[in-house]
Structure formats: C-alpha cells, structure tokens
Amino acid sequence: MVLTSLPRNPLSPETDRMLVLHVVGARPNFMKVAPVYRALTNRGVAQLLVHTGQHYDANMSEVFFQQLGIPQPDENLAVGSGSHAQQTAVIMTRIEPVIVQSQPDIVLVYGDVNSTVAAALVCAKLQVPIAHVEAGLRSFDRTMPEEVNRLLTDQLSDLLFTPSEDANQNLLREGIAPEKIDFVGNVMIDTVVRLLPQAIQTRSLDLPQPYGLLTLHRPSNVDDPATLQPILTTLLEFSREIDILFPVHPRTRQRLQQSGFNQLGGKLHLLDPLPYLEFLGMLHGALFVVTDSGGIQEETTFLGVPCLTVRENTERPITVSAGTNIIVGRDMDRLAGGIRRILGGQTKIGQTPNLWDGMAAERIAYTLVTRYRPVAAASAN
Ligand code: UD1
C-alpha cells in the first residue's frame, strides 16, 4: 500500500505533531469510536472528540460513553433533532469553526449517519483530510438516507477503512483510488470482543428463557402504520409461544404513541432503549433476533445468533453470505416462516468474516500513525 499520497493539512504549520479529531453523533457511532480512540491513546496520539448531539437522550448517548470508556467530548454541538436538511446544515455550521480552530491533521468520521456526511463535507471544503471508518458498504438503495450518506462520505474521504472485502469492491467500482482503501476489519466487533465477557456477567438473571429480541427504528418500517402494524402483529402472534423483548428506539416510541399501539400486551415486552452492556448480553442470549438495524446484523453474525432482517436489502451482505443473517424483507410470511423454523430447531449456521477479530482499530491506528506521523511511527509501533 502507498503511504505517502495523502494531502497534508495545509492549516497545520507543525510537521512533528499529530492531532486526530473524531466526529460522532448517534448511538451506532459510539461503539465504533471507542476502540479507535483507545488504540490511538496507546500510541500517544493527541485527540479531540466532537459529539454533534444528533442523539441526546441519556440512554441513547451518555450511558454509552460511560460503559464504553469514551472520554467526555471536547465539544458538544447540541444539534438535536430536525429534518435531514436542518440536522445536516446545523452540524455543518457548528462544526466548521471547531475544525478551523483546532487544525487537526485528520478527521475521523464513522458509519453512515447525518453527522458523518455533514462533517465530511465541511472538512472537504476546508481541505482537511478525512478518514471514513466503515467505508464502502452499499445497500444500492438510495431511498435509504444512510445510503446517500455513505456514497457522499466515501467520495469525500482521503482514507477509507473497510470492514469487509465486498466494501473494497464497491469502492473500486465507484472509482476510488486503491491506495486510499485499507481493509482493516470491523471496529464494532472490536468492542464486542472486549466487552462480551462483562456483558454476559452482568446479564440479568430475570430474563425469561428462551426469548426472541426485536429492534425496529428505520423510517421505512416505523413511520407508516401500514408497514409497522403487520410486523408487530406477526411478533405479537409468536409472543404466545415465546417471550419477545423489544427495546424501543425513540423514533419508534413516538410512532407507537401516535398510532395507539402502545399497549401491545402478551409476552411482547416493550422496554426503554438499553445501555450497551445490557443489550449485548441480551443479544448473546437470544434464541433469535428480528431487526432492521445495520450493526445488529453484524453483531448477531459474530455471536452466531440467528438474525431475521426486516428490510428489502442490506449494505452488509457478508452477514448473509457468511453469517447468520436472513433478509426477510417486509414479507410477513417469510418472517413468520423464519421464526417458525428457528422455534423448530432449524437455525442458519454462520462463520465469522475475515478480520472480525477484535484488532481492526489497531490496524486503523497503525495506518494513521504511519501516514500522519511518519517520523514517530517507528517508535510508536
Ligand atoms: C439515526 C441514523 C441511523 C441510525 C440510528 C441509530 C441518520 C440519517 N440516521 O437514525 O442511521 O441507525 O440513528 O439510532 O443519521 N430522538 C430522541 N432522542 C435521541 C435521539 C433521537 O428522542 O436521543 C428522536 C427524535 O425525535 C428524532 C428521532 O428520534 O426525531 C429520530 O432521530 P434521528 O437522529 O433523526 O434519526 P434516527 O432514526 O435515530
């Protein structure tokens, strides 16, 4: 790999210092930044952490910082909720002066949320190098806001850290120069590897046995009652046979309240959003998972737990080709058939994808230090 082709930050006058600025904003970012921050700290790299405030409820944000051992953000932009345009625009407006003032050598952005693309766009205009962690994933479905965020962020990035080989292929097809692409593995799995023993240890003894786990938050599933209702009705039906635990995302909670589904009854248990350790412990012990999340498709593949994904596509195809994931779409017969087979003892056996080994952040830190602190790299590694 060519390690000398990236532009230096023209705003940074020093040549012997290295400052990495991380931008995070939403729940799925936090488990990704934690191992990267830690790996760079271990190499003595100066870092700044900016939280955009896209997710602001304590149980969507603060508790993750505590459990994952992420330091308090140096800046919190407190952008809150809004339309996509509003949220993205406010993040851009508020992060620009932070970048200008702090003059980082490189900015790290994570995943595919609005905070990711907003920060990348600001950095590109300021000519500050950008590294995208979890680059190259594609659902090929541009009706998903995250797909737009992924495409744009990758085009703007100087360094693209990919979690799987399919992501490399996607980037090459889109004309990204090969020397910008670094296949490092899955940083979210780094966090699972580190915290799984603790998560299992702290798992509540009061959990029913066995149980299924449900999460839903995609606008395409929860915003229209005509889509949400059949999913819940299907799960409610199965909850006569097995307990189903349902930690409810704030967006979904609002929709449930608006459409009067708040009291679901039966053994479909509505819970508040869970802290990381509690959720990971619950995921590990589940008989099956029904979800529309991206990250949970990967975590279940790593844990070997059967996952039924209620979406028409996935940007994480390796969880289907190698892992335990089955895409059931919004076809309730397929969802019901999938659960029925699992209850009957027929489960999909998967394998752990290449480089989902708990060391992805170490590879990222190595590349960053090698490229951006060339003089010190030898002593740091
Ligand atoms: C965002 C990400 C999505 C990610 C998800 C994980 C984008 C485009 N979407 O979706 O990729 O999978 O986070 O959670 O960035 N809300 C609260 N408290 C909070 C956060 C949100 O009440 O702490 C409510 C707000 O009313 C908001 C709604 O939830 O309107 C949705 O939040 P938003 O950040 O817009 O998107 P998510 O659906 O969470």
Side-chain angles (χ1 to χ4, degrees):
M1 156 168 281
V2 182
L3 294 178
T4 52
S5 59
L6 293 183
R8 294 288 302 179
N9 178 1
L11 297 173
S12 174
E14 298 100 315
T15 52
D16 58 348
R17 120 203 199 282
M18 179 185 182
L19 176 64
V20 172
L21 187 148
H22 308 261
V23 181
V24 292
R27 184 170 62 178
N29 295 153
F30 306 141
M31 42 291 247
K32 295 169 193 164
V33 74
V36 180
Y37 196 100
R38 179 178 291 261
L40 288 170
T41 301
N42 291 342
R43 286 172 164 78
V45 174
Q47 300 174 74
L48 288 175
L49 184 60
V50 177
H51 189 331
T52 65
Q54 179 176 343
H55 283 176
Y56 44 86
D57 285 354
N59 60 8
M60 296 291 285
S61 176
E62 204 178 305
V63 68
F64 285 81
F65 278 69
Q66 288 160 7
Q67 292 196 338
L68 299 170
I70 310 168
Q72 283 302 305
D74 298 283
E75 293 282 347
N76 190 321
L77 307 178
V79 300
S81 303
S83 70
H84 283 268
Q86 284 165 346
Q87 199 173 51
T88 308
V90 177
I91 297 168
M92 290 179 67
T93 312
R94 294 195 186 165
I95 207 167
E96 186 182 48
V98 177
I99 307 282
V100 170
Q101 205 184 331
S102 58
Q103 300 189 12
D105 292 278
I106 188 155
V107 171
L108 263 63
V109 296
Y110 296 82
D112 57 15
V113 301
N114 286 342
S115 301
T116 311
V117 70
L121 193 47
V122 168
C123 291
K125 298 279 177 106
L126 292 173
Q127 298 182 38
V128 173
I130 306 151
H132 184 200
V133 177
E134 200 187 79
L137 297 183
R138 296 289 181 270
S139 66
F140 304 101
D141 173 4
R142 292 199 188 188
T143 65
M144 260 185 108
E146 294 82 1
E147 182 75 354
V148 177
N149 295 347
R150 289 188 279 261
L151 281 159
L152 296 181
T153 303
D154 286 340
Q155 282 297 326
L156 297 170
S157 293
D158 299 283
L159 195 46
L160 298 101
F161 293 116
T162 58
S164 49
E165 278 136 333
D166 56 281
N168 286 42
Q169 296 310 317
N170 292 335
L171 294 172
L172 292 171
R173 202 175 330 103
E174 290 167 17
I176 305 287
E179 62 269 21
K180 290 183 178 179
I181 305 169
D182 193 0
F183 171 39
V184 292
N186 191 324
V187 284
M188 207 185 56
I189 299 302
D190 289 10
T191 299
V192 175
V193 169
R194 183 168 73 88
L195 293 177
L196 184 60
Q198 203 178 327
I200 293 171
Q201 217 171 25
T202 54
R203 187 162 52 208
S204 166
L205 298 173
D206 296 335
L207 288 180
Q209 286 300 339
Y211 60 89
L213 184 57
L214 170 67
T215 82
L216 291 173
H217 77 279
R218 298 250 153 244
S220 55
N221 276 336
V222 304
D223 284 2
D224 182 358
T227 310
L228 181 58
Q229 188 163 17
I231 301 174
L232 293 177
T233 305
T234 304
L235 271 299
L236 201 50
E237 195 66 28
F238 277 102
S239 78
R240 294 180 189 181
E241 293 172 57
I242 181 168
D243 287 88
I244 296 177
L245 309 180
F246 182 17
V248 187
H249 186 283
R251 168 191 285 279
T252 312
R253 178 73 72 178
Q254 288 167 9
R255 299 298 179 261
L256 290 174
Q257 277 160 357
Q258 285 160 5
S259 46
F261 291 130
N262 226 9
Q263 297 300 325
L264 289 174
K267 291 197 289 178
L268 180 52
H269 307 281
L270 269 67
L271 312 172
D272 286 333
L274 292 171
Y276 182 78
L277 289 173
E278 283 77 354
F279 187 75
L280 181 59
M282 206 177 261
L283 206 54
H284 177 261
L287 182 66
F288 65 87
V289 175
V290 176
T291 191
D292 60 7
S293 153
I296 293 171
Q297 296 172 53
E298 297 182 337
E299 288 165 338
T300 46
T301 274
F302 182 79
L303 297 172
V305 174
C307 179
L308 301 168
T309 298
V310 197
R311 283 173 44 185
E312 299 298 341
N313 48 52
T314 180
E315 62 288 340
R316 292 158 161 93
I318 197 151
T319 61
V320 177
S321 59
T324 55
N325 191 17
I326 297 173
I327 304 293
V328 297
R330 292 191 191 87
D331 179 339
M332 291 305 108
D333 290 338
R334 287 178 65 197
L335 175 60
I339 298 176
R340 175 67 53 218
R341 274 189 290 282
I342 293 165
L343 292 179
Q346 278 179 34
T347 58
K348 185 180 175 194
I349 309 293
Q351 287 168 344
T352 305
N354 194 15
L355 300 191
W356 291 23
D357 58 359
M359 298 298 286
E362 290 297 324
R363 296 185 191 98
I364 290 174
Y366 175 81
T367 297
L368 289 174
V369 168
T370 310
R371 287 199 182 201
Y372 286 92
R373 201 176 60 180
V375 177
S379 60
N381 292 286

